[in-house]
């Protein structure tokens, strides 16, 4: 696809992980979306290389987890170096010992995959769903009307078409053109005054079983991580020293991102000779900072990903939070555009995602400031996995079961997975979906019942009531599901969160009606 159409339902600006995830989700919902990217190719670097457990669940639902798992690997153990000698291994992710199996968490560990490869796989999935990216096309201006957005595009040959869209989503990064065009301010500050360098390069003779760390290297700490499915390593190097007057000049200087400069940095700080350092695929200098947009919506324009929030790389939260933004917004746009839900449903995007973004910013900033790069210094844990983030106080959350135990699963939380080891029966309100619903007997896990763009109702230890068209319903008695969920009727949103939890079937029609399902 080389030319942008002049009309679409959703215009997505920016083909990073955010825009690609949103485009995939909209495509499977039958929503017409146009995805444009200013650059002439997808982002070439490894930058965000950790996929958190919750992001893996999203990718399973979108149909690309098998490819993601095949292309990536678990995080390797860290290996410290000093004086040219290895000093011992330690774990960046998790704690000591193996991960204890939990049937409610199918993907318990962070998965490593370079960002460029994640984007390639998302792009391949988008093509399978009938979508495409229009490369070399930037937004140069926009104007909002009560029923649409008119966006002016610019291509390699100069001025391009004006595209009319029902909605526009800014997924165009921290320097977002869209955000500036609609006048949404962003507040934040510097997390660390020291400049940093990140690059992907070839290295001969360095063991690929470990993530190598030089915490006491002259000039600042340096890390080299073997990137899966490639022969390259990701370099991270920090310059200067915090609070050191003798290094103030280093703090003011920008890292040399030329291939020669990257190789000199590695050779100067490690035992590796410059002759072992090969091709530099990509390099970038930056200073860790944090920023949060004042709001995530202006009329028919929405902000997502780095256009809405920017993080320190510590904790691996930026890419993952951006994917969650897209996953939250995609189903709501689908319900409005395909199921006739009231446009007020779209207000819940900002109300749910802005507090989450603020919380994740706090996590990544705290991890960055926790200390130097040393054994245990930046170790991550459950808060970074994003499994515990939810919408308990959100506008779409209704918990109608009185007298719950303190540790009970509640509306607004992530709907846990579970093996279907109890008695399971399926039904669907939409006869067109009856085949999908009748596969209950073949499904092995709850997530297989949830998979797809539909809303799911679980009747756990209860009779399954009649449901409106477009809703998949399943009755489950006993097993892990009843132990984890407890008895009741549960509305599972398309993004895998519990919207309504009740004992009364009379609560279902009103709640489902808010989602356009009547």
């Amino acid at each position: 696809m080389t030319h942008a159409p002049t009309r679409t339902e959703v215009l997505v600006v920016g083909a990073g992980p955010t825009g690609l995830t949103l485009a995939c989700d909209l495509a499977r919902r039958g929503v017409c979306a146009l995805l444009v990217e200013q650059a002439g190719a997808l982002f070439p670097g490894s930058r965000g290389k950790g996929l958190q457990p919750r992001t893996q669940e999203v990718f399973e639902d979108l149909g690309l987890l098998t490819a993601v798992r095949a292309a990536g690997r678990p995080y390797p153990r860290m290996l410290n170096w000093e004086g040219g000698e290895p000093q011992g291994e330690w774990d960046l992710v998790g704690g000591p010992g193996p991960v204890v199996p939990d049937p409610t968490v199918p993907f318990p560990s962070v998965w490593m995959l370079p960002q460029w490869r994640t984007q390639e796989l998302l792009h391949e999935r988008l093509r399978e769903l009938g979508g495409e990216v229009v490369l070399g096309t930037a937004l140069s201006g926009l104007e909002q009307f009560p029923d649409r957005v008119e966006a002016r595009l610019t291509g390699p040959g100069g001025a391009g078409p004006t595209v009319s869209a029902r909605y526009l989503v800014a997924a165009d990064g921290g320097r977002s053109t869209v955000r500036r065009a609609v006048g949404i301010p962003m507040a934040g500050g510097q997390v660390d005054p020291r400049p940093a360098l990140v690059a992907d390069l070839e290295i001969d003779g360095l063991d690929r079983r470990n993530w190598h760390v030089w915490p006491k290297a002259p000039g600042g700490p340096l890390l080299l991580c073997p990137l899966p499915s490639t022969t390259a390593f990701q370099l991270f190097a920090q310059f200067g020293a915090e609070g050191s007057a003798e290094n103030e000049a280093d703090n003011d200087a920008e890292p040399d991102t030329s291939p020669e400069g990257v190789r000199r940095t590695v050779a100067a700080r490690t035992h590796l000779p410059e002759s072992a350092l090969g091709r530099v695929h990509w390099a970038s200098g930056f200073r860790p900072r944090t920023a949060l947009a004042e709001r995530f919506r202006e009329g028919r324009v929405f902000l997502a990903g780095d256009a809405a929030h920017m993080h320190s790389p510590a904790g691996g939260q930026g890419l993952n939070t951006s994917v969650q933004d897209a996953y939250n917004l995609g189903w709501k746009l689908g319900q409005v555009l395909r199921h006739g839900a009231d446009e007020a449903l779209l207000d819940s995007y900002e109300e749910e995602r802005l507090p989450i973004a603020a919380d994740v910013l706090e996590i990544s900033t705290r991890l960055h400031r926790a200390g130097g790069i040393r054994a245990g210094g930046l170790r991550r844990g459950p808060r970074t996995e994003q499994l515990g983030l939810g919408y308990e106080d959100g506008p779409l959350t209704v918990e109608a079961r009185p007298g719950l135990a303190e540790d009970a699963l509640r509306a607004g939380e992530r709907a846990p997975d579970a093996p279907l080891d109890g008695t399971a029966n399926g039904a669907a309100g939409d006869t067109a979906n009856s085949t999908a619903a009748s596969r209950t007997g073949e499904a092995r896990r709850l997530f297989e019942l949830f998979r797809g763009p539909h809303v799911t109702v679980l009747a756990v230890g209860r009779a399954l009531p009649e449901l409106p068209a477009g809703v998949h319903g399943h009755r489950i008695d006993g097993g892990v599901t009843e132990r984890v969920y407890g008895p009741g009727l549960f509305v599972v949103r398309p993004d895998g969160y519990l919207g309504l939890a009740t004992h009364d079937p009379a609560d279902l029609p009103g709640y489902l009606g808010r989602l356009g399902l009547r």
Side-chain angles (χ1 to χ4, degrees):
M1 184 176 184
T2 57
H3 300 288
T6 57
R7 297 186 67 85
T8 190
E9 290 182 298
V10 181
L11 174 61
V12 184
V13 181
T18 314
L20 287 163
T21 299
L22 179 59
C24 286
D25 198 19
L26 294 174
R28 68 175 182 157
R29 298 176 187 282
V31 173
C32 180
L34 172 62
L35 175 57
V36 300
E37 166 59 45
Q38 179 175 359
L42 297 181
F43 176 72
S46 63
R47 189 173 287 154
K49 63 183 182 298
L51 301 179
Q52 300 294 346
R54 180 60 185 154
T55 301
Q56 295 173 60
E57 294 177 0
V58 173
F59 285 169
E60 182 185 41
D61 182 43
L62 293 177
L64 74 151
L65 185 67
T66 299
V68 164
R69 300 288 289 190
R73 62 161 291 179
Y75 265 55
R77 300 198 78 199
M78 313 293 283
L79 176 64
N80 278 18
W81 289 84
E82 188 173 346
E85 297 293 330
Q87 301 298 309
E89 296 182 344
W90 54 283
D91 289 302
L92 175 72
V93 180
V99 176
V100 178
D102 182 346
T104 70
V105 181
F107 316 112
S109 301
V110 64
W111 194 250
M112 181 181 288
L113 189 66
Q115 182 173 323
W116 65 264
R117 186 63 178 136
T118 298
Q119 292 182 190
E120 279 189 350
L121 295 177
L122 281 165
H123 190 199
E124 291 169 13
R125 180 60 179 146
L126 178 60
R127 285 173 164 171
E128 292 173 357
L129 293 166
E132 187 50 279
V133 180
V134 181
L135 296 168
T137 302
L139 181 137
S140 56
L142 66 87
E143 187 174 0
Q144 294 206 59
F145 298 88
D147 62 341
R148 69 193 190 282
V149 180
E150 298 283 343
R152 297 184 298 280
L153 302 182
T154 302
T162 295
V163 176
S164 178
R166 291 279 302 277
Y167 301 100
L168 187 152
V169 180
D172 53 344
R175 297 182 177 89
S176 173
T177 299
V178 178
R179 188 185 65 238
R180 292 197 299 269
V182 296
I184 298 179
M186 208 171 195
Q190 199 174 66
V191 175
D192 193 324
R194 296 169 292 178
L197 169 68
V198 62
D200 298 344
L201 75 159
E202 303 287 335
I203 300 176
D204 291 330
L206 189 62
D207 191 343
R208 297 187 63 84
R209 290 176 298 178
N210 289 102
W211 187 343
H212 303 272
V213 186
W214 288 263
K216 299 178 181 179
L222 182 143
L223 298 84
L224 290 170
C225 180
L227 295 172
S229 301
T230 77
T231 58
F233 285 76
Q234 184 197 63
L235 159 72
F236 174 83
Q238 204 157 40
F239 291 76
E242 192 170 18
S244 174
E246 63 191 37
N247 286 292
E248 285 183 4
D250 290 336
N251 290 349
D252 291 335
E254 295 300 324
D256 185 349
T257 58
S258 70
E260 297 78 12
V262 170
R263 288 190 285 263
R264 278 197 301 270
T265 296
V266 176
R269 300 192 191 187
T270 73
H271 62 277
L272 298 168
E274 206 162 340
S275 60
L277 309 177
R279 180 187 172 195
V280 177
H281 297 276
W282 165 83
S284 178
F286 71 100
R287 294 172 190 268
R289 64 185 302 264
T290 180
L292 182 65
E294 183 179 275
R295 54 191 183 278
F296 287 8
R297 180 181 186 184
E298 181 65 35
R300 292 180 169 270
V301 175
F302 299 86
L303 307 185
D306 287 355
H309 44 78
M310 290 186 288
H311 311 251
S312 157
Q317 299 297 289
L319 181 152
N320 294 276
T321 304
S322 299
V323 167
Q324 305 301 328
D325 288 348
Y327 198 48
N328 182 288
L329 181 58
W331 76 267
K332 294 171 182 177
L333 287 168
Q335 293 304 118
V336 170
L337 292 168
R338 283 293 167 270
H339 297 280
D342 192 288
E343 288 193 354
L345 177 64
L346 299 175
D347 293 335
S348 68
Y349 168 68
E350 176 184 305
E351 294 171 298
E352 290 183 339
R353 293 305 300 169
L354 198 153
I356 292 289
D359 185 57
V360 171
L361 286 174
E362 183 273 327
I363 294 172
S364 59
T365 300
R366 181 174 52 80
L367 282 170
H368 189 107
R369 293 172 174 168
I373 300 167
R374 59 181 185 273
L378 293 176
R379 183 173 288 132
R380 300 157 190 187
R383 286 195 75 190
T384 66
E385 296 169 354
Q386 302 203 343
L387 295 172
L389 301 178
Y391 309 119
E392 292 88 335
D393 299 321
L396 300 181
T397 298
V398 179
E399 176 55 72
R401 297 168 299 160
L404 291 177
E406 185 175 342
D407 60 349
L409 180 68
R410 285 174 164 75
E413 296 181 15
R414 162 188 168 271
D417 197 9
L420 293 177
D421 53 356
T423 302
N425 297 287
D430 187 346
T431 55
N433 290 328
S434 60
T435 302
S438 69
R439 289 202 301 266
T440 307
E442 303 171 12
R444 297 166 297 172
R445 304 160 44 213
L446 280 182
F447 277 13
E448 294 177 24
L449 304 183
F450 301 161
R451 190 178 303 154
H454 57 270
V455 172
T456 305
V457 171
L458 290 182
V460 183
R462 297 282 188 272
L464 181 65
E466 184 177 351
L467 299 171
V471 180
H472 289 197
H474 305 277
R475 175 177 175 175
I476 300 176
D477 297 311
V480 175
T481 299
E482 188 157 355
R483 186 162 68 249
V484 171
Y485 282 72
L489 297 169
F490 302 91
V491 175
V492 182
R493 302 169 11 164
D495 60 352
Y497 287 88
L498 295 176
L500 167 68
T502 185
H503 293 300
D504 189 352
D507 291 337
L508 288 172
Y511 186 86
L512 294 172
R514 295 174 62 187
L515 310 184
L517 302 167
R518 300 179 178 86

